[in-house]
Amino acid sequence: MERAREGAELIKMHIELGHTIRLISHRDADGITAGAILAKAVAREGGTFQLSIVKQVSEDLIRELAEERREIYVFSDLGSGSMELIEKHLDFATVIVADHHPPEREGFSNESHLLVNPVPFGANSVRDLSGSGVAYFVAREMNEKNRDLAYIALVGSVGDMQEIDGTFHGMNLDIIKDGKELGILEVRKELRLFGRESRPLRQMLAYSTNPELPGITGDERNAIEWLRAKGFDPDVHYWQLREEEKRKLHDALVIHLIKHGAPKEAIDRLIGDVVVSPLYPEGDPRHEAREFATLLNATGRLNAGTLGVAICLGDEEAYKKAKKMLDDYKREQIEARKFIVQNWGMADEGEHAYVFYAGRNIRDTLVGIAANIAINAGLADPEKPVVVIADSEEDENLVKGSARTTEKALAKGYHLGEALKEVAEKLGGEGGGHAIAAGIRFPKGRIDEFIRLFNEALAKQVGREGGED
């Protein structure tokens, strides 16, 4: 909090000096909300800002920013992994990095650079505070009025899955407290499946991937039958149910998961903290944090992150525009689903993984979603990771791939992020990520090589764990 206070003072000082506050934020829901919170805080003090929503911090980006010769730069939800680059190129300016990712080191050596990050103080970067949360505490130190941004901060936190185990932790609880005191949000113990506001129950269940509902996920007809058998109208929305109906649905789903031998953590995650805000009407995606975050994520993926920022700041026109984009994006997802289901026979099934090359038939921003579809539609053996590769839209010489898998496959010892990192180095590309989800970019002519190397890397991991053959 001391660092947040220092950051707030620096920003206010530059506003008083008439300097434009240069904001740079990440393009996911957490970064978009963080950028919106800081933009609003600056505007409230009568300052001017310029905001960019970016995919990542690279040396090229920092060089471009340096050429602008601004007096102050504020990075939110990114920058902690690029402290050296920032010191090298932005040594002439005040720099604040307000972030929650593990930093390269505990602080800057340059006097005019400040790291506001809870990780060096013992916070867990994935559950105790998100980028929007760090931005919120800086904004709150600038002006107590900024407590009215608590809901936006939690939308970012949910977008970063800080409550993946069903409850909020750490400093997120302080933000909830502020929001509750102002009456702008409430936290309910409810079904945590996506679609509370905008999807009828049949789709809410049929599209559920976290957790998967055996026999229901991926099959809307089955979802309809299941709901009718339990006495529910498949066309109503979750938010329209009365409290006792919600409880009846929760119980039925828990029993269904237990019957189908779902792991305990999947059952525990089903019911938990759901954040809603009376600032928006029921049935509006902005009324519930996860749907709001999904809307913002879509704007970021479609390179319209600043539109997402405008939505956070209450711009109704931006919201209408984004909703149309989201509808188009969903249509593209449906097209991608159709393509992968109809052409799955083209997938290369190796000993340890499926690799599906879609060329230009699937957008490179949708490869992760396409890989999940292959798993959830039952096309792939759940114990084998899936990689979907598409031609890069930015560079015709490259392809972009996303790998996805299941908890079941992880139990065998697979770690997709490590495997893709290793393979990328051999192919002259870039790759990495989490155990369960990861990404890669590499030269287009080397797909066959990729297939061989990826299977080899996974084989080594399973061998190392002493798992099955």
Side-chain angles (χ1 to χ4, degrees):
M1 291 310 294
E2 195 48 57
R3 295 268 182 103
R5 202 164 298 137
E6 277 177 57
E9 292 306 323
L10 282 170
I11 293 170
K12 283 167 79 169
M13 180 186 86
H14 281 275
I15 291 171
E16 278 167 26
L17 291 168
H19 299 154
T20 296
I21 311 298
R22 186 69 172 95
L23 304 170
I24 305 94
S25 205
H26 189 221
R27 73 165 193 184
D28 66 2
D30 190 24
I32 289 169
T33 48
I37 287 166
L38 292 170
K40 177 80 176 172
V42 169
R44 259 202 176 128
E45 302 303 309
T48 55
F49 63 85
Q50 184 188 343
L51 168 66
S52 300
I53 298 292
V54 301
K55 195 171 172 179
Q56 65 211 43
V57 177
S58 60
E59 186 149 21
D60 288 347
L61 175 76
I62 301 278
R63 278 207 181 102
E64 278 169 34
L65 290 169
E67 278 167 20
E68 294 179 15
R69 304 305 284 186
R70 297 301 170 100
E71 292 84 4
I72 178 169
Y73 298 85
V74 183
F75 293 84
S76 52
D77 193 35
L78 36 71
S80 293
S82 315
M83 292 167 70
E84 245 171 74
L85 282 177
I86 288 169
E87 287 200 319
K88 182 173 156 194
H89 297 290
L90 300 176
D91 55 341
F92 57 88
T94 298
V95 178
I96 298 163
V97 171
D99 189 17
H100 71 119
H101 295 95
E104 280 181 345
R105 46 183 197 268
E106 296 206 348
F108 285 105
S109 44
N110 185 324
E111 283 291 285
S112 59
H113 292 182
L114 176 71
L115 177 70
V116 186
N117 187 319
V119 176
F121 302 100
N124 177 333
S125 65
V126 280
R127 51 179 261 176
D128 289 334
L129 197 64
S130 69
S132 60
V134 178
Y136 173 79
F137 285 115
V138 171
R140 198 179 75 175
E141 290 296 332
M142 285 172 70
N143 190 329
E144 272 291 308
K145 279 185 187 161
N146 292 322
R147 287 169 63 214
D148 66 359
L149 300 169
Y151 177 57
I152 297 296
L154 283 173
V155 169
S157 172
V158 169
D160 251 22
M161 301 194 295
Q162 295 247 318
E163 33 56 273
I164 186 123
D165 59 355
T167 46
F168 284 98
H169 307 272
M171 294 174 79
N172 285 306
L173 299 172
D174 299 327
I175 303 173
I176 289 172
K177 186 167 167 281
D178 282 356
K180 279 182 174 171
E181 281 172 10
L182 290 176
I184 57 172
L185 64 86
E186 51 181 303
V187 180
R188 299 181 185 165
K189 286 283 179 216
E190 284 194 349
L191 193 58
R192 292 176 65 247
L193 301 182
F194 178 82
R196 182 191 189 283
E197 308 291 333
S198 62
R199 284 179 176 168
L201 288 176
R202 58 189 161 80
Q203 287 184 345
M204 191 181 186
L205 301 190
Y207 297 170
S208 165
T209 54
N210 189 10
E212 282 188 33
L213 305 172
I216 299 174
T217 294
D219 192 330
E220 210 171 311
R221 273 202 306 268
N222 280 3
I224 291 169
E225 281 171 28
W226 187 90
L227 284 161
R228 285 203 178 124
K230 302 284 181 269
F232 291 97
D233 175 351
D235 292 318
V236 299
H237 290 61
Y238 182 84
W239 65 267
Q240 295 169 313
L241 298 176
R242 295 191 306 276
E243 286 310 310
E244 64 268 25
E245 290 176 311
K246 284 179 185 169
R247 274 198 298 277
K248 186 179 150 193
L249 179 61
H250 299 172
D251 292 346
L253 283 166
V254 168
I255 290 164
H256 180 81
L257 285 172
I258 291 169
K259 258 201 214 149
H260 285 82
K264 183 183 180 300
E265 60 270 19
I267 299 167
D268 289 346
R269 281 210 300 250
L270 191 65
I271 315 293
D273 287 351
V274 172
V275 186
V276 292
S277 171
L279 299 174
Y280 303 96
E282 298 243 37
D284 182 317
R286 295 168 296 179
H287 180 256
E288 188 264 321
R290 180 165 303 145
E291 289 210 33
F292 198 158
T294 302
L295 179 71
L296 297 178
N297 265 327
T299 64
R301 275 171 188 254
L302 299 167
N303 298 322
T306 45
L307 193 66
V309 171
I311 297 169
C312 294
L313 300 177
D315 183 331
E316 281 299 318
E317 280 310 302
Y319 168 64
K320 285 183 191 134
K321 210 163 155 186
K323 216 161 139 36
K324 189 189 172 310
M325 278 174 72
L326 190 56
D327 291 340
D328 294 345
Y329 182 60
K330 278 184 181 156
R331 214 177 8 261
E332 280 191 357
Q333 285 181 340
I334 291 163
E335 290 300 314
R337 182 188 176 96
K338 222 159 67 186
F339 182 79
I340 206 155
V341 170
Q342 287 170 357
N343 297 284
W344 184 245
M346 294 168 20
D348 180 287
E349 183 179 355
E351 199 179 329
H352 293 274
Y354 297 88
V355 179
F356 183 93
Y357 173 56
R360 293 203 161 278
N361 293 296
I362 293 177
R363 264 173 90 121
D364 69 357
T365 48
L366 288 174
V367 283
I369 287 160
N372 271 334
I373 288 168
I375 293 168
N376 297 328
L379 302 173
D381 169 353
E383 294 198 15
K384 264 188 197 183
V386 172
V387 186
V388 175
I389 297 172
D391 294 348
S392 164
E393 287 170 33
E394 290 160 10
D395 182 341
E396 58 186 33
N397 301 311
L398 293 177
V399 289
K400 200 175 140 194
S402 259
R404 295 288 185 273
T405 194
T406 62
E407 298 283 348
K408 224 176 185 172
L410 294 187
K412 292 168 73 170
Y414 292 136
H415 189 301
L416 301 183
E418 286 173 9
L420 286 185
K421 188 172 192 286
E422 180 189 321
V423 172
E425 281 163 11
K426 292 177 181 166
L427 293 176
E430 297 169 75
H434 308 282
I436 202 162
I440 187 167
R441 285 196 316 202
F442 62 92
K444 192 173 174 174
R446 306 187 74 172
I447 293 172
D448 289 342
E449 244 176 299
F450 167 79
I451 293 172
R452 179 176 59 78
L453 290 170
F454 186 55
N455 274 287
E456 282 172 11
L458 293 175
K460 266 201 315 230
Q461 291 179 345
V462 180
R464 186 183 64 204
E465 296 289 331
E468 303 152 39
D469 298 336

